[in-house]
Amino acid sequence: MKKVCVLGLGYIGLPTASILATKGYKVIGVDIDEDLIANLQQGKLSIAEPDLDTIVHAALFSKNLTVSIKPAEANVFIISVPTPIDENKKADLRCVISAGESIASIIRQGNVVILESTVPPGTAVEILQPILEKSGLRAGDDFSLAFSPERVLPGQLVYELVENDRVIGGIDDKSSELAKEIYKSFVKGKINITDIRTAEMVKLMENTFRDVNIALANEFAIIAEQLGVNIWEAIGLANQHPRVNFMKPGPGVGGHCIAVDPWFIVEKAPNNSKLIRKTREINDQMPILVANMVNKILNFKKKPKLSIFGMTYKGDVSDIRESPSIKVIQELVTKGFDISLYDPFVQFYPKFNNILSKTVEESVENSDCILILTEHKLFGEIIPDNVGKLMRSKLVIDTRNCVEHALWRKSGFKTFVLGVNFLDLNLQ
Ligand code: SAJ
């Protein structure tokens, strides 16, 4: 039975380790977070994803998955550790480096090492390979090295890990083929083979594509308001074109992927990535713009109370990383607003725990305005009458076009919608 050592038990490593264990591999899941390991040993997960707990419990129960803080010898090593950006927007590869160093002494002839973490093109060969070769073994001759990025949509992670096509890039054909053997055990999508640098690049292109198109939607939202057009109606009509597919404007771009990955390209090609850098500036500017406009809308009140709905980086996920909502909240707290927060997916957030409400009703009590920053399905189901009667004045600002504005107006609310009448209030 082949043994697989998965380093990093986060959003990608944990489901990957578990799925491989249910496919008959002997898997050791490794993470440096001792609490995470202790919780997993008791079957407790820190990630909320549909079907993930079922898969993890099946893997643990089958005894094919064990978890530990220390790696062990194996036939295959999969590195799926975080690769954030630092304050200078440069890739922070410390986790990849320490993961490589932690297995350099235990890799053996014939082993396969697969890097899954999203990295700047060239990282696998220029950074990870030399670390692994401290073992005295040579990549290609003695052990195989490949890169295979994940492309799962948070919120439907387990499904996409299996169903989506996969890209694999090896340092040589043998590495690609050996890596493909592993993924063939659970990937139902097509497995596309390329070289290792192209595989690193493809992942970044996918997320940069989204970032650029979201920036285009955001820029058009601002232009539409200036020109008196409803951006949501315009996008709906433009997308009727068979080859046009506008993304949605919003209060900014969050998550540990789309807001991060394009910077890896800027880092490697600073002189040739003008559009990508500008894209990041446009998307990172949105939370500031939203906070400034809220400030203008509410300046009719001496000490307005604001109820902010939605802290996570996008609808119906519990992930807060790089969330634009947090940036808007921080801006408004700094401006001295009296704020209450509500997010059905967030029960605890140290920095804002004192203003975090447990229910919609608690959050809107005596409030002047509801600011919607995340498109949780639940927000679309709120009965405006029920919240309106608890509020001091009835304003609602919808930055995601996710509630029925006519219904809210019928309940006496003044509605502001990003891309309609929010950003260009003639107050700029
Ligand atoms: N957003 C908009 N408008 C849109 C779409 C998204 O403002 O039309 C915002 C969201 O609110 C969120 C951010 O952009 O704050 C990112 O959301 P997302 O759904 O576009 O991206 P992620 O980070 O949830 O998942 C993406 C996916 N990449 C692609 O779709 C190309 C996923 O497949 C990747 O695997 C994931 O990044 C990742 O791990 O890289």
Side-chain angles (χ1 to χ4, degrees), residues 22 51 117 130 194 197 211 235 248 253 307 328 336 361-362 391 395 402 404 415:
T22 60
D51 304 330
S117 307
T194 183
R197 184 178 283 263
D211 199 32
I235 285 176
K248 294 179 185 157
V253 169
S307 304
V328 175
E361 292 70 19
E362 183 193 333
M391 294 172 70
L395 300 178
C402 64
E404 188 51 59
T415 58

Side-chain angles (χ1 to χ4, degrees), residues 224 228-240 249 401 417-420:
V229 169
N230 176 326
I231 191 62
W232 301 96
E233 182 182 351
I235 285 176
L237 293 168
N239 284 352
Q240 302 295 318
N401 190 33
V417 186
L418 185 143
V420 179

Side-chain angles (χ1 to χ4, degrees), residues 8 51 53-54 57 75 83 100 107 110 135 145 190 199 208 230 258 269 302 307 311 313 326 350 359 380 383 413:
D51 304 330
D53 49 356
T54 313
H57 293 145
N75 304 99
T83 49
I107 55 174
S135 59
L145 177 61
K190 191 167 171 296
T208 302
N230 176 326
I258 306 271
K302 237 197 317 303
S307 304
M311 298 166 70
Y313 82 91
I326 300 298
T359 64
I383 312 286
F413 278 83

Side-chain angles (χ1 to χ4, degrees), residues 394-398 404-406 408-409 413-417 421:
K394 297 202 281 191
L395 300 178
V396 60
I397 301 172
D398 180 3
E404 188 51 59
H405 306 126
W408 286 71
R409 278 195 293 275
F413 278 83
K414 187 163 177 36
T415 58
F416 296 91
V417 186
N421 65 335

